[in-house]
């Protein structure tokens, strides 16, 4: 299932992702630190959603209460709950 998630409080404004069952198939960040976010996207592709969430949930960016990786976990949880 393809999902578009509008992020909050990050430089990245949107995350486009595809989940098949409980596996992350693809991730694309719009905005933010392009190189770092490309790396994160490639690392999580093929991983179970639960593993991505357990590793990236709660990461903060500086003084912000969230980060792009943390927002990815929220997007994945939303995608899984809709399926």
């Amino acid at each position: 299932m393809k999902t578009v998630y509008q992020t909050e409080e990050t430089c990245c404004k949107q995350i486009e992702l595809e989940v098949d069952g409980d596996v992350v198939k693809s991730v694309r960040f719009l905005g933010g630190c392009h190189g770092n976010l490309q790396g994160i996207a490639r690392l999580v592709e093929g991983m179970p959603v639960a593993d991505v969430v357990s590793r990236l949930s709660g990461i903060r960016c500086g003084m912000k209460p969230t980060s792009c990786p943390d927002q990815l976990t929220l997007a994945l949880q939303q995608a899984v709950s809709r399926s």
Side-chain angles (χ1 to χ4, degrees):
M1 169 194 327
K2 292 186 179 184
T3 301
V4 175
Y5 183 82
Q6 301 301 318
T7 62
E8 296 180 14
E9 300 188 53
T10 61
C11 298
C12 169
K13 299 299 177 202
Q14 182 175 298
I15 302 171
E16 298 173 354
L17 57 93
E18 184 175 1
V19 176
D20 184 13
D22 68 340
V23 175
V24 179
K25 289 298 182 186
S26 66
V27 176
R28 181 172 174 239
F29 292 90
L30 300 175
C33 304
H34 187 65
N36 290 333
L37 296 176
Q38 272 188 324
I40 291 169
R42 289 186 187 180
L43 287 171
V44 302
E45 288 174 2
M47 287 180 63
V49 169
D51 288 353
V52 175
V53 170
S54 71
R55 291 177 185 203
L56 302 181
S57 182
I59 292 176
R60 295 173 50 148
C61 185
M63 298 301 294
K64 295 178 183 178
T66 189
S67 65
C68 294
D70 185 56
Q71 290 288 299
L72 173 59
T73 67
L74 299 176
L76 289 169
Q77 289 171 327
Q78 182 182 67
V80 169
S81 72
R82 289 184 178 172
S83 60

